[in-house]
Amino acid sequence: MKLVVVSAGLSVPSSTRLLADRLAAAVDRRTPVDIQVVELRDLAVEIAHNLTNGFPGKKLAAALDAVAEADGLIAVTPVFSASYSGLFKSFFDVLDKDALVGKPVLIAATGGSARHSLVLEHALRPLFAYLRAVVVPTGVYAASEDWGAEGLPDRIDRAAGELAVLMQGLSTTRPASKPTVVPFAEQLAALSVTGSA
């Protein structure tokens, strides 16, 4: 199975990328996955050009294809002005409107204060619901004070477990030859039949 991680961190090193890596590793511990990381920082110019001319550059096209072909997605953004970053939103704006239909997605964000933790519910979850993705119940927010504190590793493990279960359940419902959009009701039925729920 293929897991794609979209990280919108801007700095190097980046707490956003650190959270993304920890989430991906936690999924891989539950079920072996091929992990591909998409660093939006490296695609910023191509994303801007695509917004203005409608054509993706070579690197952006490869990233968009990777997201569309993934069995699961982890999407992590830093918080800017109480929401996701503009770079993060711009990437999903240029993604094909049907690319995430039925795809399991784990949402996560980083910020300087715990006061922004609701960004998961008021910004990220509605965005991916609009894109018709299947968003796992547990989102992960990491404020500066969460690193090295109790609680964050448990939230990471819980969210990763939920994503792994969805990815495993969905991989049994579609043929290996080509990806198929599976309606949400059928996904839930498949999970209950396999006992993975």
Side-chain angles (χ1 to χ4, degrees):
M1 284 188 295
K2 182 178 177 183
L3 174 65
V4 172
V5 180
V6 174
S7 172
L10 298 178
S11 60
V12 180
S14 163
S15 61
T16 301
R17 175 62 190 268
L18 177 60
L19 180 59
D21 288 343
R22 288 194 182 182
L23 288 164
V27 173
D28 191 46
R29 284 193 299 271
R30 301 208 178 239
T31 184
V33 289
D34 294 322
I35 300 169
Q36 179 178 345
V37 178
V38 174
E39 280 280 9
L40 298 186
R41 173 183 67 243
D42 300 334
L43 301 173
V45 172
E46 288 192 28
I47 291 170
H49 287 165
N50 191 26
L51 286 169
T52 58
N53 66 25
F55 298 100
K58 185 181 287 188
K59 290 180 183 177
L60 178 58
L64 295 172
D65 288 344
V67 169
E69 295 165 5
D71 296 296
L73 179 70
I74 295 173
V76 191
T77 180
V79 174
F80 283 92
S81 301
S83 189
Y84 36 66
S85 72
L87 181 60
F88 183 85
K89 179 63 164 57
S90 295
F91 176 77
F92 289 101
D93 284 344
V94 300
L95 186 67
D96 182 88
K97 64 182 179 61
D98 295 324
L100 296 184
V101 174
K103 193 179 302 293
V105 176
L106 191 167
I107 56 173
T110 58
S113 164
R115 291 177 298 166
H116 294 298
S117 62
L118 286 178
V119 69
L120 296 172
E121 303 307 322
H122 74 72
L124 286 162
R125 199 173 296 277
L127 171 64
F128 288 101
Y130 174 79
L131 295 171
R132 295 173 287 160
V134 180
V135 184
V136 302
T138 302
V140 179
Y141 178 81
S144 298
E145 63 265 23
D146 288 327
W147 297 103
E150 288 184 28
L152 182 59
D154 292 338
R155 293 197 308 275
I156 288 172
D157 285 340
R158 183 169 62 244
E162 292 167 357
L163 182 61
V165 165
L166 275 177
M167 288 176 66
Q168 290 168 345
L170 292 179
S171 69
T172 64
T173 63
R174 56 181 160 184
S177 60
K178 66 175 192 169
T180 304
V181 175
V182 181
F184 185 62
E186 290 181 28
Q187 296 171 23
L188 292 177
L191 288 175
S192 62
V193 168
T194 60
S196 299

